[in-house]
Amino acid sequence: MMPLISYMYAVVFWLLASWSLGEWAIPGIHDPGGFLFGIPLFLHIVLMLLALAVAPFAFALGWLPGRRVQHALAYIASLILSVLLFRLDIYQVTTWIAD
């Protein structure tokens, strides 16, 4: 679930930044690093790295009896859905966060 948490954090961060600006945050115009001293952007980077780093732990937990396939499928499905959502770039949220 960690990859989806990373994506949802990016969306919530974008919505809060848009709310504080009084308009939709636009890539190239509004800098995500300028919002609250860059702390939310730093947290997004940490969450994004953790989303990939948690894979070995998800598979290690899967070694418990009867949970191997379930943990692997849950992580893989979460990662694929997260990548698709980042690639869709709805309202240019991921373009703005990568700016």
Side-chain angles (χ1 to χ4, degrees), residues 7 10-11 14 25 27 81-98:
Y7 178 77
V11 171
W14 179 76
L81 183 59
S82 177
V83 168
L84 287 175
L85 288 170
F86 269 107
R87 296 287 292 166
L88 282 175
D89 198 15
I90 300 168
Y91 296 113
Q92 294 187 326
V93 172
T94 56
T95 302
W96 175 76
I97 201 102

Side-chain angles (χ1 to χ4, degrees), residues 56-86:
F57 297 113
F59 292 119
L61 284 175
W63 286 106
L64 297 175
R67 299 285 184 175
R68 215 173 309 164
V69 175
Q70 291 173 345
H71 281 261
L73 288 178
Y75 179 79
I76 290 169
S78 175
L79 183 64
I80 288 172
L81 183 59
S82 177
V83 168
L84 287 175
L85 288 170
F86 269 107

Side-chain angles (χ1 to χ4, degrees), residues 41-59:
L41 182 62
F42 174 75
L43 288 176
H44 170 70
I45 292 168
V46 169
L47 282 174
M48 189 172 52
L49 292 173
L50 284 176
L52 298 174
V54 78
F57 297 113
F59 292 119

Side-chain angles (χ1 to χ4, degrees), residues 20-35:
S20 72
L21 292 168
E23 61 183 6
W24 296 116
I26 301 170
I29 296 175
H30 304 111
D31 184 24
F35 183 69

